[in-house]
Amino acid sequence: MTGAVAATARLTRLKLPDGSQVIGSAEPLGEYPPTLAHSLRYWAAATPTAVLAAERAGDGWRELTYGDALTEATALGQALLDLGLGPGAPVLVLSGNSLNHLALTLACYLTGVPIVPTSVAYSLRATDHARLRAISGLVKPGLVYAEDGTRFGAALAAVGAHAVVGRGPGRNLAELRDTTPTAAVDEATAALTPDTVAKILFTSGSTGMPKGVLNTHGMLSANQQMLRQIWPFLAAGPPTLTDWLPWNHTFGANHNLHLALTNGGSIYIDDGSPKPGEFDRTVDSLRSVPPTVCVNVPAGYAQLAQRFTADPALAAHVLSRIDMILYAGADLPDELRQRLREIARRATGRDVPVVSSWGATETGPAATSTYGGADRGIGVPLPGTEIKLAPVAGRLEIRVRGASVTPGYLGADLADALDEDGFYRSGDAVRLVDEGGDPRRGMVFDGRIAEDFKLDTGTWVVSGRLRNRLLSAAGILSDAVLVGDNRSCVTAIAWPHAERLREIVGEAADPETDPAVLSHLAAVLADLNKGLGASARIERLVVTNTPPDIDAGEITDKGQLNRRAVLECRSNLVTLLYETPANRTRVIHAP
């Protein structure tokens, strides 16, 4: 432990005539670097031999120091300027996290050229590259980068812009890295302002089509200052992250990468993920470089908890330097949160905070966090941030105003996404932990308003809340989608969690039809539904072994389900759920 983990939250609260309330931090936002280029240059001068980032190289790591990072970024920055790149001619990146990707990103930060990382799935899993071509047409890149010219050959051809690769056929990035810098790079850096666009990130599209969010240097630097103020341990020693989260999403790109960059820390690029067949690599990375800040999404922590339970020595090693366990990107079931705390306590002999953070691509990303008395849910507003809780269809939508909110979208301003008081409308619903009392106890995520639906009686079903209750109670499910739009009752399509399945019900021959699984889930539904009305009950449930399909839009590469796409792609299961007479070999019924 390198120091106090969390600051004490001081909040303000204003109740408005329309039933809204505005909760803000009473802590003023401290000074912060005007651009991310300032952070890079500061640490390159202060700690030139410290590791900024590393990527896997065989059984070890290839490391990039702050000093070398600045040298590479300066040379690449000169090359970008020589090619005529600038605010209207960004760098489009097709491949995932790598040191080359980072060097290009830093070069863009130095010169005012926007970097635009895209989902690898758009390049490698698509057949017609329609979404990639649409993004390229909107971005109009001056340069396109891919790590491997062979693997990304079809995607590079589809985009058709000037291409550079890390290896394989095509112009190699090493040619640009050999460029001799001139005073033009320093002049470009001096011309940067907090309003300069550092990157353009496309939203995940979990509830609609992706939008290009403008990320300015000022909003990104401000967001990191917010985190420094609530987590004082960051000032006591540079953080180390061992992280797989993709840089085309705001959690991995802005929260985690910048947490290292602005605090003189190190980010070790894990080439694994929670996806099937890739998690062993994540465990190897964590074993090789135990982090001080562990970051993941709930799906990753569910697997990590299982590994730690089965191997206490692994848990003790991986958590040996831990200051904080952080999750975001989706809600964490209460059972898993408690499990992680107990695992960490046994492994370290002390209480390790299991911290959540909430935000959006449009908010930099972090807008709230659990700190200073808020120990569950999504926490309270960060310094420099105001949260409005606005009544919408019987729920409270969380809205954000502050220094880390985007100025707009690529090709569109933010006006349609703002309310009458200038708050960004997130579309997420929350509840106060203490609805009538102290706001310092924080807020609980209450689902996406767009995912709520009505039964045929006109009664609203709060989809996120009911889904979380199901996952927490069942114990053997990794995820679920609720069904019931204009139907008489709520049902669900669910996916089994293989390791938890073996732990709770033993080896299942086939989770879709195994009697032990059916019996366990029937009992769960009976207990879950006890004494509740139709909108809070799940009457039927079907388990499927077929994972959500990223190409069909059922799931984003961040691991979030797209409910609308799931229902469209699995209409056969929806039919099965409402069949009369019911198929009792596949469908679990509430007794």
Side-chain angles (χ1 to χ4, degrees):
M1 180 71 66
T2 56
V5 173
T8 299
R10 295 194 302 118
L11 304 179
T12 61
R13 185 180 194 179
L14 174 65
K15 295 186 177 181
L16 304 179
D18 66 356
S20 300
Q21 52 186 307
V22 176
I23 301 171
S25 171
E27 296 290 340
L29 185 61
E31 292 185 9
Y32 52 89
T35 74
L36 295 165
H38 286 73
S39 295
L40 172 61
R41 289 191 160 186
Y42 173 83
W43 290 110
T47 58
T49 60
V51 174
L52 166 59
E55 64 186 5
R56 296 303 298 260
D59 293 331
W61 298 86
R62 185 165 75 88
E63 297 178 333
L64 179 67
T65 66
Y66 276 90
D68 288 342
L70 179 59
T71 299
E72 286 194 23
T74 303
L76 288 171
Q78 181 67 55
L80 299 182
L81 295 175
D82 291 346
L83 290 168
L85 273 65
V91 173
L92 182 68
V93 180
L94 307 186
S95 49
N97 305 2
S98 70
L99 292 186
N100 284 338
H101 185 162
L102 176 59
L104 270 174
T105 299
L106 297 177
C108 288
Y109 288 173
L110 288 176
T111 55
V113 178
I115 187 87
V116 190
T118 59
S119 170
V120 173
Y122 298 164
S123 293
L124 298 185
R125 299 188 186 180
T127 54
D128 59 5
H129 298 106
R131 183 164 286 188
L132 183 62
R133 285 200 303 271
I135 288 174
S136 179
L138 186 61
V139 169
K140 297 179 175 57
L143 180 73
V144 180
Y145 176 75
E147 193 74 17
D148 188 320
T150 300
R151 289 185 69 215
F152 288 84
L156 289 168
V159 172
H162 181 79
V164 173
V165 299
R167 60 181 177 274
R171 187 179 185 185
N172 196 282
L173 186 67
E175 296 178 38
L176 303 189
R177 195 181 274 112
D178 288 339
T179 304
T180 300
T182 71
V185 177
D186 289 337
E187 292 168 1
T189 302
L192 299 175
T193 73
D195 294 329
T196 301
V197 175
K199 68 172 62 171
I200 300 168
L201 286 181
F202 281 82
T203 58
S204 63
S206 57
T207 60
M209 288 300 293
K211 294 176 287 187
V213 181
L214 304 179
N215 286 231
T216 66
H217 279 274
M219 63 179 277
L220 300 175
S221 291
N223 202 230
Q224 287 300 317
Q225 176 60 27
M226 295 173 186
L227 298 179
R228 285 174 65 88
Q229 288 182 223
I230 68 166
W231 296 331
F233 75 90
L234 292 171
T240 298
L241 292 80
T242 305
D243 181 31
W244 65 270
L245 284 148
W247 291 345
N248 62 288
H249 284 304
T250 190
F251 187 11
N254 292 342
H255 190 286
N256 299 345
L257 176 58
H258 294 163
L259 193 70
L261 176 62
T262 60
N263 292 285
S266 307
I267 186 162
Y268 284 77
I269 301 169
D270 166 23
D271 57 2
S273 83
K275 296 174 185 175
E278 297 182 8
F279 192 65
D280 284 344
R281 192 63 171 171
T282 285
V283 173
D284 287 342
S285 295
L286 290 169
R287 184 185 287 112
S288 176
V289 183
T292 62
V293 178
C294 189
V295 289
N296 219 315
V297 294
Y301 280 126
Q303 296 183 66
L304 204 55
Q306 177 64 27
R307 295 293 183 95
F308 285 166
T309 300
D311 189 347
L314 174 67
H317 177 68
V318 171
L319 301 176
S320 58
R321 303 193 298 158
I322 201 73
D323 284 323
M324 183 172 68
I325 295 171
L326 171 69
Y327 70 92
D331 202 16
L332 191 73
D334 292 337
E335 179 270 340
L336 179 55
R337 184 185 300 106
Q338 279 302 117
R339 199 168 174 217
L340 287 171
R341 285 174 175 157
E342 291 167 6
I343 288 170
R345 188 181 299 113
R346 287 196 302 268
T348 65
R350 54 185 169 84
D351 289 328
V352 177
V354 178
V355 174
S356 76
S357 185
W358 175 89
T361 310
E362 289 86 346
T363 63
T368 74
S369 184
T370 47
Y371 73 100
D375 62 355
R376 55 174 294 214
I378 63 170
V380 295
L382 304 184
T385 299
E386 292 178 291
I387 295 295
K388 179 193 279 190
L389 304 182
V392 175
R395 313 275 294 287
L396 290 176
E397 181 185 18
I398 182 170
R399 302 177 180 179
V400 186
R401 185 169 67 185
S404 65
V405 175
T406 179
Y409 299 103
L410 184 61
D413 62 29
L414 199 64
D416 290 343
L418 300 179
D419 70 8
E420 64 280 3
D421 296 318
F423 284 83
Y424 165 69
R425 297 181 299 186
S426 71
D428 285 353
V430 300
R431 292 176 289 116
L432 287 167
V433 172
D434 184 355
E435 296 185 7
D438 190 351
R440 289 177 299 179
R441 294 192 61 194
M443 297 167 284
V444 177
F445 181 72
D446 205 17
R448 293 285 293 168
I449 292 174
E451 293 180 350
D452 293 349
F453 57 89
K454 284 184 179 181
L455 298 175
D456 60 8
T457 59
T459 304
W460 279 100
V461 175
V462 181
S463 181
R465 192 182 304 173
L466 186 52
R467 169 187 164 276
N468 193 39
R469 286 180 55 225
L470 171 64
L471 297 180
S472 294
I476 64 171
L477 301 177
S478 63
D479 218 331
V481 164
L482 299 190
V483 191
D485 309 58
N486 299 312
R487 303 275 191 168
S488 60
C489 64
V490 181
T491 62
I493 299 169
W495 288 264
H497 189 297
E499 292 177 336
R500 293 290 284 153
L501 194 69
R502 286 191 293 271
E503 191 175 283
I504 293 178
V505 300
E507 293 288 342
D510 182 351
E512 292 184 355
T513 58
D514 189 281
V517 175
L518 293 163
S519 176
H520 171 77
L521 290 175
V524 166
L525 293 187
D527 189 57
L528 194 72
N529 293 342
K530 200 173 297 180
L532 298 177
S535 65
R537 296 170 58 88
I538 298 176
E539 297 293 347
R540 297 180 180 182
L541 184 147
V542 63
V543 177
T544 176
N545 287 322
T546 308
D549 187 347
I550 193 169
D551 292 328
E554 289 187 301
I555 194 169
T556 70
D557 53 357
K558 195 167 58 176
Q560 293 178 325
L561 287 170
N562 182 328
R563 178 177 179 270
R564 181 173 54 190
V566 168
L567 297 186
E568 289 175 356
C569 294
R570 299 175 191 256
S571 58
N572 61 319
L573 295 183
V574 176
T575 300
L576 192 65
L577 284 165
Y578 291 96
E579 247 179 12
T580 302
N583 180 342
R584 291 185 176 270
T585 63
R586 281 293 313 276
V587 179
I588 298 102
H589 292 252

